[in-house]
Amino acid sequence: MTTNSFEDERCLAIADNLERIRAALADAAAAAGRSENSVELMAVTKTVPVEYINYSIDRCGVDLIGENKVQEFLQKQPLLHLDGVRKHLIGHLQTNKVRKILPAVDMIQSVDSLHLAQKISDEAAALGVNADILLELNIDAEQTKTGFSEEAFASSLAAFSELPNITVRGLMTVPPLGLPDSELERYFDGIHHRYESLKAQHLPGFDLQILSMGMSGDFALAVKHGSTQVRIGSAIYGARIYH
Ligand SMILES: *Cc1c(COP(=O)(O)O)cnc(C)c1O
């Protein structure tokens, strides 16, 4: 492993935060009657300087990171200590950036259109690989957000099955901002139901193992409602500073 002597107060806060979050995750899993290792922790590293990401990898056991922007990730990538670390893209992806990002990540979580999935399948075919993706679903009809609407999702399922070079590994969601806890629970529960029923369909090209939901402010509720992977940024690294 890389030795990393860099350490400042922010590093210590990151180590503390991770310890606290892992304990809270274990508690939430136990409260839901689930095993501790049924929920994975993704560290969301957007806007975080590489020294701090590397610290969390080298010293705190982070082994799964999520980045939102293709350009930002590709710039940071050569400086990151990524041995044994999985990298997922979790932000909106434009089709013209698929070629660049596909070889650099292990999964694209933010697939929100059939068109994008087709493009990923095409590029994966050109590289001679299979691409693992999650489908981003949004079940709040009143919100205009990223993600498939329920209608678009339902009508695209057969087409996903036909794409030769992708495997759908699960669902991902970002709930609308500012929902009170009761509605947030209903939202997570709704996604969980769709995940389970999709799983039961055993469609070709689908191998569902990941329900990616829950962020800094709501991960315990997400775990209560079946999340298998929480994506946590600010609660680990501190408030984001955008330049
Ligand atoms: C930024 C981001 C997160 C993490 O958000 P925090 O509230 O900082 O934990 C999770 N998922 C997606 C898609 C994000 O863009």
Side-chain angles (χ1 to χ4, degrees):
M1 276 310 299
T2 325
T3 49
N4 185 348
S5 56
F6 174 77
E7 185 169 281
D8 65 6
E9 282 188 11
R10 187 171 176 189
C11 291
L12 301 179
I14 289 168
D16 273 358
N17 291 340
L18 274 163
E19 197 172 320
R20 204 167 14 81
I21 290 163
R22 287 185 175 122
L25 269 179
D27 286 350
R34 303 173 54 195
S35 72
E36 195 172 325
N37 57 16
S38 67
V39 189
E40 260 194 317
L41 173 61
M42 167 191 283
V44 176
T45 50
K46 64 183 179 219
T47 79
V48 179
V50 290
E51 308 88 285
Y52 297 105
I53 303 173
N54 283 337
Y55 182 87
S56 67
I57 291 169
D58 296 337
R59 306 286 286 275
C60 311
V62 163
D63 62 1
L64 171 62
I65 64 169
E67 281 277 347
N68 285 62
K69 296 204 171 115
V70 171
Q71 203 61 30
E72 181 184 343
F73 178 59
L74 293 178
Q75 274 170 9
K76 292 196 288 196
Q77 186 187 26
L79 304 170
L80 290 172
H81 302 166
L82 292 173
D83 265 5
V85 175
R86 288 159 299 146
K87 298 88 61 185
H88 291 189
L89 186 78
I90 60 171
H92 179 69
L93 175 60
Q94 292 169 288
T95 51
N96 64 2
K97 297 198 173 141
V98 171
R99 181 170 297 168
K100 272 196 187 153
I101 197 67
L102 191 58
V105 293
D106 301 287
M107 189 177 293
I108 297 173
Q109 295 209 353
S110 38
V111 177
D112 57 2
S113 74
L114 180 56
H115 180 59
L116 177 58
Q118 274 159 343
K119 180 72 178 172
I120 293 170
S121 182
D122 289 348
E123 293 293 348
L127 292 169
V129 298
N130 180 78
D132 286 330
I133 66 167
L134 303 185
L135 300 177
E136 183 177 351
L137 180 59
N138 164 30
I139 58 169
D140 188 323
E142 280 159 38
Q143 293 268 339
T144 44
K145 293 182 88 275
T146 57
F148 280 95
S149 68
E150 289 206 80
E151 300 72 36
F153 182 71
S155 65
S156 306
L157 286 178
F160 286 122
S161 284
E162 313 234 307
L163 294 175
N165 286 69
I166 60 167
T167 302
V168 180
R169 298 285 179 194
L171 300 181
M172 173 288 211
T173 196
V174 181
L177 279 177
L179 290 185
D181 279 2
S182 58
E183 283 177 46
L184 198 50
E185 290 204 45
R186 215 151 33 122
Y187 185 92
F188 286 147
D189 197 45
I191 297 278
H192 186 218
H193 270 95
R194 283 159 186 82
Y195 174 71
E196 291 297 339
S197 66
L198 193 59
K199 222 171 166 176
Q201 290 182 51
H202 299 292
L203 298 170
F206 286 68
D207 179 12
L208 300 184
Q209 290 153 0
I210 300 174
L211 180 54
S212 170
M213 64 182 191
M215 315 200 301
S216 289
D218 58 16
F219 67 85
L221 286 184
V223 169
K224 179 178 173 188
H225 293 283
S227 169
T228 71
Q229 187 182 97
V230 295
R231 309 178 308 267
I232 301 185
S234 49
I236 297 174
Y237 297 104
R240 280 182 287 276
I241 300 159
Y242 289 93
H243 295 287

